[in-house]
Amino acid sequence: HDGLRVDAGGAVGTLARLFARAPGKWRVTDANRDFGLCATYGRVLAVPAALSDDALRAVAAFRSKGRIPVLSYVHTNGAPLL
């Protein structure tokens, strides 16, 4: 996301490593910056690259507590956990 800074707690390095394991599959979004999508998720999220922020908002509207698919972990073998 242009202009988005993700640097708390070394998150930039962590995201860079995760994204390197699956190039083009994930992107960073600040669509939850005001916690409008999901109050229990962070402001900055790693989400499937194919989903636009508008699509994330539409998905959140139909999911329990607005919980959308986000990247939470990537195993060293490249398998993501959502």
Side-chain angles (χ1 to χ4, degrees), residues 1 19 25-29 45-53 56:
H1 191 280
F19 287 4
K25 302 278 184 188
W26 303 96
R27 69 181 181 87
V28 173
T29 180
L45 307 170
V47 299
L51 292 177
S52 68
D53 285 354
L56 289 172

Side-chain angles (χ1 to χ4, degrees), residues 24-77:
K25 302 278 184 188
W26 303 96
R27 69 181 181 87
V28 173
T29 180
D30 65 347
N32 199 41
R33 67 185 159 273
D34 61 357
F35 301 102
L37 288 178
C38 181
T40 61
Y41 286 0
R43 287 187 168 114
V44 177
L45 307 170
V47 299
L51 292 177
S52 68
D53 285 354
D54 288 337
L56 289 172
R57 288 192 242 330
V59 169
F62 291 98
R63 306 232 354 156
S64 175
K65 298 184 182 178
R67 293 192 175 119
I68 55 176
V70 297
L71 182 65
S72 58
Y73 176 79
V74 176
H75 190 274
T76 54
N77 70 7

Side-chain angles (χ1 to χ4, degrees), residues 6-22 26 28 46 71-74:
V6 185
D7 55 8
V12 170
T14 300
L15 284 175
R17 287 189 299 277
L18 292 175
F19 287 4
R21 292 182 189 160
W26 303 96
V28 173
L71 182 65
S72 58
Y73 176 79
V74 176

